[in-house]
Amino acid sequence: MATSTCVFRVLNYSSKLSKNIFLNCSYRSRCLLSTTANENNSTPKDQPPTQQQADTDEQVKTDPQILKLETQIKNLQEEVKEAKDKYLRSLAETENLRKRLTRQVDEAKLFAIQSFCKDLLEVSDVLSTAINSVPKDQLTPSNPHLMNLYQGLNMTETQLMKVFNKHGLESIAPKEGEKFDPNFHEALFQVPIQSKETQVPDTVAVVQKLGYMLRSRTLRPALVGVFK
Protein backbone atom coordinates (compact mmCIF):
# COMPACT_ATOMS: atom_id res chain seq x y z
CA MET A 1 0.00 0.00 0.00
CA ALA A 2 2.86 2.39 0.89
CA THR A 3 4.58 1.62 -2.41
CA SER A 4 1.42 2.39 -4.41
CA THR A 5 1.01 5.72 -2.57
CA CYS A 6 4.59 6.74 -3.31
CA VAL A 7 4.27 5.80 -6.96
CA PHE A 8 1.09 7.84 -7.23
CA ARG A 9 2.77 10.83 -5.63
CA VAL A 10 5.69 10.56 -8.06
CA LEU A 11 3.37 10.41 -11.03
CA ASN A 12 1.34 13.36 -9.73
CA TYR A 13 4.42 15.52 -9.16
CA SER A 14 5.87 14.44 -12.50
CA SER A 15 2.70 15.57 -14.21
CA LYS A 16 2.84 18.94 -12.44
CA LEU A 17 6.50 19.33 -13.33
CA SER A 18 5.88 18.57 -16.98
CA LYS A 19 3.00 21.05 -17.08
CA ASN A 20 5.04 23.84 -15.47
CA ILE A 21 8.05 23.21 -17.65
CA PHE A 22 5.84 23.30 -20.71
CA LEU A 23 4.13 26.56 -19.65
CA ASN A 24 7.43 28.23 -18.75
CA CYS A 25 9.28 27.12 -21.81
CA SER A 26 6.51 27.36 -24.38
CA TYR A 27 6.48 31.15 -24.53
CA ARG A 28 10.25 31.39 -24.55
CA SER A 29 10.52 28.79 -27.25
CA ARG A 30 8.03 30.63 -29.47
CA CYS A 31 9.92 33.88 -28.99
CA LEU A 32 13.19 32.18 -29.68
CA LEU A 33 11.90 30.50 -32.83
CA SER A 34 10.36 33.72 -34.18
CA THR A 35 13.50 35.81 -33.60
CA THR A 36 15.86 33.24 -35.04
CA ALA A 37 13.78 32.01 -37.98
CA ASN A 38 15.41 34.32 -40.48
CA GLU A 39 18.87 33.74 -39.07
CA ASN A 40 18.53 29.98 -39.38
CA ASN A 41 17.75 30.28 -43.08
CA SER A 42 21.10 31.89 -43.76
CA THR A 43 23.22 30.43 -40.95
CA PRO A 44 24.94 27.04 -41.24
CA LYS A 45 23.64 24.27 -38.96
CA ASP A 46 26.95 23.95 -37.17
CA GLN A 47 26.96 27.64 -36.13
CA PRO A 48 27.25 28.01 -32.31
CA PRO A 49 24.14 29.24 -30.40
CA THR A 50 23.57 32.97 -30.15
CA GLN A 51 23.80 34.90 -26.91
CA GLN A 52 20.01 35.15 -26.75
CA GLN A 53 19.65 31.36 -26.98
CA ALA A 54 22.26 30.86 -24.27
CA ASP A 55 20.50 33.36 -22.00
CA THR A 56 17.19 31.59 -22.55
CA ASP A 57 18.68 28.19 -21.69
CA GLU A 58 20.31 29.64 -18.61
CA GLN A 59 17.00 31.13 -17.44
CA VAL A 60 15.30 27.75 -17.83
CA LYS A 61 18.03 26.02 -15.83
CA THR A 62 17.93 28.59 -13.05
CA ASP A 63 14.14 28.93 -12.80
CA PRO A 64 13.36 28.50 -9.06
CA GLN A 65 10.06 26.75 -9.65
CA ILE A 66 11.60 24.25 -12.05
CA LEU A 67 14.48 23.59 -9.67
CA LYS A 68 12.02 23.06 -6.81
CA LEU A 69 9.97 20.56 -8.80
CA GLU A 70 13.11 18.72 -9.88
CA THR A 71 14.18 18.45 -6.25
CA GLN A 72 10.74 17.13 -5.28
CA ILE A 73 10.89 14.52 -8.04
CA LYS A 74 14.36 13.44 -6.95
CA ASN A 75 13.19 13.07 -3.34
CA LEU A 76 10.11 11.11 -4.39
CA GLN A 77 12.23 8.83 -6.55
CA GLU A 78 14.38 8.10 -3.51
CA GLU A 79 11.25 7.35 -1.47
CA VAL A 80 9.98 5.00 -4.16
CA LYS A 81 13.34 3.22 -4.27
CA GLU A 82 13.37 2.84 -0.50
CA ALA A 83 9.74 1.66 -0.42
CA LYS A 84 10.45 -0.86 -3.18
CA ASP A 85 13.43 -2.20 -1.26
CA LYS A 86 11.31 -2.59 1.89
CA TYR A 87 8.58 -4.30 -0.13
CA LEU A 88 11.01 -6.82 -1.63
CA ARG A 89 12.48 -7.54 1.80
CA SER A 90 9.01 -8.05 3.28
CA LEU A 91 8.12 -10.32 0.38
CA ALA A 92 11.23 -12.45 0.97
CA GLU A 93 10.53 -12.67 4.71
CA THR A 94 6.93 -13.69 4.03
CA GLU A 95 8.07 -16.41 1.64
CA ASN A 96 10.57 -17.75 4.18
CA LEU A 97 7.87 -17.75 6.85
CA ARG A 98 5.50 -19.61 4.53
CA LYS A 99 8.10 -22.28 3.81
CA ARG A 100 8.92 -22.65 7.50
CA LEU A 101 5.25 -23.01 8.46
CA THR A 102 4.68 -25.49 5.64
CA ARG A 103 7.58 -27.60 6.89
CA GLN A 104 6.26 -27.47 10.46
CA VAL A 105 2.79 -28.52 9.30
CA ASP A 106 4.26 -31.43 7.34
CA GLU A 107 6.27 -32.55 10.36
CA ALA A 108 3.21 -32.25 12.58
CA LYS A 109 1.29 -34.51 10.22
CA LEU A 110 4.10 -37.07 10.16
CA PHE A 111 4.66 -37.17 13.92
CA ALA A 112 1.10 -36.62 15.11
CA ILE A 113 0.85 -40.31 16.05
CA GLN A 114 4.07 -40.26 18.08
CA SER A 115 2.36 -40.51 21.49
CA PHE A 116 0.01 -43.21 20.24
CA CYS A 117 2.95 -45.20 18.88
CA LYS A 118 4.73 -45.02 22.24
CA ASP A 119 1.70 -46.55 23.92
CA LEU A 120 1.53 -49.31 21.31
CA LEU A 121 5.18 -50.20 21.95
CA GLU A 122 4.24 -51.35 25.45
CA VAL A 123 1.57 -53.59 23.95
CA SER A 124 4.13 -55.01 21.53
CA ASP A 125 6.55 -55.69 24.39
CA VAL A 126 3.89 -57.56 26.36
CA LEU A 127 2.95 -59.56 23.28
CA SER A 128 6.59 -60.52 22.63
CA THR A 129 7.00 -61.56 26.27
CA ALA A 130 3.91 -63.75 26.04
CA ILE A 131 5.23 -65.46 22.90
CA ASN A 132 8.67 -66.08 24.40
CA SER A 133 7.20 -67.46 27.61
CA VAL A 134 5.46 -70.35 25.84
CA PRO A 135 7.48 -73.56 26.45
CA LYS A 136 8.50 -74.87 23.06
CA ASP A 137 8.68 -78.47 24.22
CA GLN A 138 4.95 -78.45 24.92
CA LEU A 139 3.96 -77.32 21.42
CA THR A 140 2.85 -80.78 20.37
CA PRO A 141 -0.29 -82.16 18.69
CA SER A 142 -1.29 -83.56 22.05
CA ASN A 143 -1.65 -79.98 23.33
CA PRO A 144 -3.72 -78.32 20.55
CA HIS A 145 -4.99 -75.49 22.73
CA LEU A 146 -1.47 -74.26 23.49
CA MET A 147 -0.47 -74.60 19.83
CA ASN A 148 -3.47 -72.58 18.69
CA LEU A 149 -2.77 -69.91 21.31
CA TYR A 150 0.88 -69.72 20.25
CA GLN A 151 -0.03 -69.44 16.57
CA GLY A 152 -2.60 -66.75 17.37
CA LEU A 153 -0.02 -64.74 19.30
CA ASN A 154 2.46 -64.97 16.42
CA MET A 155 -0.15 -63.90 13.88
CA THR A 156 -1.11 -60.94 16.08
CA GLU A 157 2.53 -59.88 16.40
CA THR A 158 3.05 -60.22 12.63
CA GLN A 159 0.00 -58.07 11.89
CA LEU A 160 1.11 -55.49 14.46
CA MET A 161 4.52 -55.24 12.81
CA LYS A 162 2.83 -54.65 9.44
CA VAL A 163 0.82 -51.80 10.95
CA PHE A 164 4.01 -50.34 12.43
CA ASN A 165 5.79 -50.46 9.08
CA LYS A 166 2.78 -48.94 7.32
CA HIS A 167 3.00 -45.84 9.52
CA GLY A 168 6.79 -45.52 9.39
CA LEU A 169 7.53 -47.18 12.74
CA GLU A 170 10.66 -49.36 12.47
CA SER A 171 12.42 -51.44 15.07
CA ILE A 172 15.99 -50.88 16.29
CA ALA A 173 17.52 -54.32 16.87
CA PRO A 174 21.32 -54.04 17.26
CA LYS A 175 23.40 -57.20 17.02
CA GLU A 176 26.18 -58.33 19.32
CA GLY A 177 29.40 -56.55 18.43
CA GLU A 178 27.66 -53.60 16.80
CA LYS A 179 29.17 -50.19 17.60
CA PHE A 180 27.32 -48.45 20.41
CA ASP A 181 25.45 -45.41 19.10
CA PRO A 182 23.90 -43.10 21.74
CA ASN A 183 21.44 -41.84 19.13
CA PHE A 184 19.83 -45.29 18.87
CA HIS A 185 21.05 -47.21 21.94
CA GLU A 186 20.80 -46.75 25.68
CA ALA A 187 23.35 -48.52 27.87
CA LEU A 188 21.84 -50.15 30.97
CA PHE A 189 24.90 -51.97 32.23
CA GLN A 190 28.44 -52.97 31.31
CA VAL A 191 29.67 -56.45 30.47
CA PRO A 192 33.29 -57.45 31.18
CA ILE A 193 35.25 -58.54 28.12
CA GLN A 194 35.94 -62.29 28.12
CA SER A 195 37.63 -62.61 24.74
CA LYS A 196 39.64 -59.75 23.27
CA GLU A 197 39.54 -61.38 19.85
CA THR A 198 35.75 -61.30 19.43
CA GLN A 199 34.64 -58.70 21.99
CA VAL A 200 35.50 -55.04 21.51
CA PRO A 201 34.96 -52.25 24.04
CA ASP A 202 32.05 -49.87 23.47
CA THR A 203 30.12 -52.41 21.41
CA VAL A 204 26.74 -54.03 22.06
CA ALA A 205 26.98 -57.14 24.25
CA VAL A 206 23.31 -57.98 24.79
CA VAL A 207 19.92 -56.47 23.91
CA GLN A 208 17.42 -56.16 26.74
CA LYS A 209 14.62 -54.45 24.81
CA LEU A 210 14.17 -53.48 21.19
CA GLY A 211 14.11 -49.83 20.24
CA TYR A 212 11.92 -48.09 17.68
CA MET A 213 12.15 -45.03 15.47
CA LEU A 214 9.34 -43.13 13.75
CA ARG A 215 10.33 -41.90 10.28
CA SER A 216 14.06 -41.65 11.13
CA ARG A 217 13.32 -40.05 14.54
CA THR A 218 14.23 -42.20 17.53
CA LEU A 219 11.06 -42.93 19.46
CA ARG A 220 12.63 -45.29 21.99
CA PRO A 221 16.31 -46.30 22.06
CA ALA A 222 17.23 -49.95 22.26
CA LEU A 223 18.14 -50.95 25.83
CA VAL A 224 21.47 -52.76 25.69
CA GLY A 225 24.47 -53.94 27.68
CA VAL A 226 27.88 -52.74 26.52
CA PHE A 227 31.28 -54.44 26.58
CA LYS A 228 33.75 -52.65 28.81
Side-chain angles (χ1 to χ4, degrees), residues 8-93:
F8 176 77
R9 290 174 58 190
V10 169
L11 293 176
N12 188 23
Y13 276 109
S14 298
S15 177
K16 291 182 178 180
L17 175 62
S18 300
K19 183 177 180 180
N20 280 277
I21 292 175
F22 177 77
L23 292 176
N24 281 279
C25 297
S26 177
Y27 176 75
R28 296 168 182 170
S29 299
R30 287 197 301 268
C31 292
L32 180 61
L33 290 174
S34 62
T35 54
T36 60
N38 296 328
E39 296 178 359
N40 289 337
N41 292 331
S42 59
T43 304
K45 293 183 178 180
D46 56 350
Q47 182 177 355
T50 62
Q51 184 62 35
Q52 185 178 1
Q53 292 176 338
D55 293 341
T56 303
D57 294 339
E58 185 66 23
Q59 290 176 1
V60 172
K61 292 179 180 179
T62 58
D63 189 295
Q65 190 173 5
I66 293 178
L67 294 176
K68 181 179 179 181
L69 291 174
E70 288 178 346
T71 303
Q72 290 176 348
I73 285 183
K74 184 177 179 181
N75 293 337
L76 288 174
Q77 287 175 342
E78 293 294 331
E79 291 180 8
V80 169
K81 183 178 179 181
E82 182 179 356
K84 183 179 180 180
D85 182 67
K86 290 182 179 179
Y87 169 74
L88 294 176
R89 290 178 183 271
S90 299
L91 191 64
E93 292 177 358

Side-chain angles (χ1 to χ4, degrees), residues 31-162:
C31 292
L32 180 61
L33 290 174
S34 62
T35 54
T36 60
N38 296 328
E39 296 178 359
N40 289 337
N41 292 331
S42 59
T43 304
K45 293 183 178 180
D46 56 350
Q47 182 177 355
T50 62
Q51 184 62 35
Q52 185 178 1
Q53 292 176 338
D55 293 341
T56 303
D57 294 339
E58 185 66 23
Q59 290 176 1
V60 172
K61 292 179 180 179
T62 58
D63 189 295
Q65 190 173 5
I66 293 178
L67 294 176
K68 181 179 179 181
L69 291 174
E70 288 178 346
T71 303
Q72 290 176 348
I73 285 183
K74 184 177 179 181
N75 293 337
L76 288 174
Q77 287 175 342
E78 293 294 331
E79 291 180 8
V80 169
K81 183 178 179 181
E82 182 179 356
K84 183 179 180 180
D85 182 67
K86 290 182 179 179
Y87 169 74
L88 294 176
R89 290 178 183 271
S90 299
L91 191 64
E93 292 177 358
T94 303
E95 181 64 18
N96 292 335
L97 177 62
R98 186 191 65 80
K99 291 180 179 180
R100 184 165 60 252
L101 292 177
T102 300
R103 184 172 61 253
Q104 291 177 354
V105 170
D106 292 340
E107 291 180 354
K109 290 180 180 179
L110 291 176
F111 300 104
I113 60 173
Q114 181 170 325
S115 299
F116 180 67
C117 288
K118 282 186 176 180
D119 295 336
L120 281 182
L121 294 182
E122 300 298 329
V123 177
S124 178
D125 293 339
V126 173
L127 186 59
S128 297
T129 302
I131 293 174
N132 295 329
S133 64
V134 175
K136 303 299 185 294
D137 56 347
Q138 296 185 16
L139 295 175
T140 60
S142 61
N143 197 351
H145 297 292
L146 183 61
M147 288 186 62
N148 293 335
L149 177 62
Y150 182 75
Q151 291 176 357
L153 291 174
N154 276 295
M155 292 173 63
T156 303
E157 185 182 39
T158 301
Q159 186 63 32
L160 185 60
M161 292 299 105
K162 289 182 179 179

Side-chain angles (χ1 to χ4, degrees), residues 107 111 114 184 212-220:
E107 291 180 354
F111 300 104
Q114 181 170 325
F184 303 105
Y212 286 89
M213 58 182 179
L214 179 62
R215 300 187 185 278
S216 72
R217 176 185 293 183
T218 301
L219 194 61
R220 185 183 73 183

